[in-house]
């Protein structure tokens, strides 16, 4: 982890996204598939090793290390500024499960070094008042071409390196919108 001191940091959970379907399939020009129910949630249930109950990646073996995605709201703020957009961008359109304000979540991901080696992602916890849920961060969550269609032209390129992180939950629990604490735990 690049320079972050272990210990609790105040953050805000600004969006929680759960959808049983992949909305971004096919050609971006055709538009996203509608969600069968509203994807934005006030609270979510997390299950260790499985993901977020009701989400399309829940209990999918192929996504075991990528069941939950985390995104920094500041990345959208910076994107809107760079693209000269008048208003804020909707964090639910990123289709990331948890959108936080107050922590550079991209730094939690595993990193590949120039010499070909890679470092593990961070072990971190989130607590929105119902107890800490620990997550193991793995790989960066790369943005896709759909970002140009649903956020703004230029968003795909503008979010490269700032698409969030994919991780696996290590504990059962609940997360809800609002104030929370993120704790980066020291490596074992």
């Amino acid at each position: 982890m690049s320079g972050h001191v272990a210990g609790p940091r105040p953050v805000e959970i600004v969006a929680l996204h759960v959808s049983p379907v992949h909305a971004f399939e096919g050609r971006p020009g055709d538009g996203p598939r509608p969600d069968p129910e509203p994807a934005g949630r006030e609270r979510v249930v997390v299950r260790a090793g499985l993901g977020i109950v009701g989400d399309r990646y829940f209990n999918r073996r192929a996504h075991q290390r990528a069941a939950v995605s985390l995104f920094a709201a500041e990345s959208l703020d910076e994107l809107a500024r760079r693209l000269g957009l008048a208003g804020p961008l909707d964090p639910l359109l990123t289709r990331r499960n948890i959108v936080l304000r107050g922590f550079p979540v991209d730094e939690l991901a595993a990193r590949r070094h120039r010499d070909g080696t890679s470092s593990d992602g961070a072990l971190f916890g989130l607590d929105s008042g119902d107890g800490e849920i620990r997550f193991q961060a793995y790989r960066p969550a790369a943005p896709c071409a759909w970002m140009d269609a649903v956020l703004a032209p230029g968003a795909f390129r503008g979010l490269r390196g700032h698409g969030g992180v994919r991780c696996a939950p290590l504990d059962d629990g609940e997360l809800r919108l609002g104030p929370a604490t993120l704790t980066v735990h020291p490596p074992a």
Side-chain angles (χ1 to χ4, degrees):
M1 231 356 261
S2 58
H4 286 290
V5 177
R9 296 249 322 244
V11 295
E12 179 185 4
I13 299 175
V14 298
L16 293 168
H17 181 278
V18 177
S19 177
V21 300
H22 291 277
F24 296 165
E25 290 185 331
R27 294 183 306 236
D30 295 337
R33 176 191 305 175
D35 282 300
E37 58 191 59
R41 303 293 165 84
E42 295 286 322
R43 59 185 327 130
V44 296
V45 176
V46 179
R47 293 286 175 248
L50 300 175
I52 295 177
V53 174
D55 192 63
R56 63 199 176 281
Y57 293 120
F58 183 79
N59 197 22
R60 302 281 180 166
R61 188 172 181 90
H63 296 281
Q64 198 169 20
R65 298 177 117 200
V68 176
S69 55
L70 195 69
F71 186 81
E74 291 86 353
S75 294
L76 283 181
D77 298 341
E78 176 61 18
L79 177 67
R81 187 192 64 71
R82 278 188 286 146
L83 295 178
L85 303 176
L89 295 166
D90 181 354
L92 290 174
L93 293 176
T94 65
R95 309 279 299 173
R96 300 298 189 245
N97 298 119
I98 304 166
V99 181
L100 296 180
R101 182 171 297 286
F103 192 88
V105 301
D106 295 293
E107 294 183 14
L108 296 169
R111 296 288 174 209
R112 197 162 224 27
H113 305 290
R114 289 180 188 201
D115 65 2
T117 63
S118 62
S119 57
D120 291 336
L123 173 64
F124 67 96
L126 273 175
D127 185 349
S128 62
D130 296 310
E132 183 181 61
I133 302 170
R134 292 174 305 133
F135 294 88
Q136 176 61 57
Y138 288 104
R139 62 183 171 85
C144 65
W146 278 92
M147 297 299 99
D148 283 352
V150 298
L151 290 173
F156 171 50
R157 179 172 284 160
L159 287 175
R160 286 186 185 157
H162 303 286
V165 63
R166 297 200 177 279
C167 50
L170 304 178
D171 302 306
D172 291 346
E174 290 188 20
L175 292 172
R176 56 189 147 101
L177 294 178
T181 301
L182 185 144
T183 303
V184 176
H185 297 286

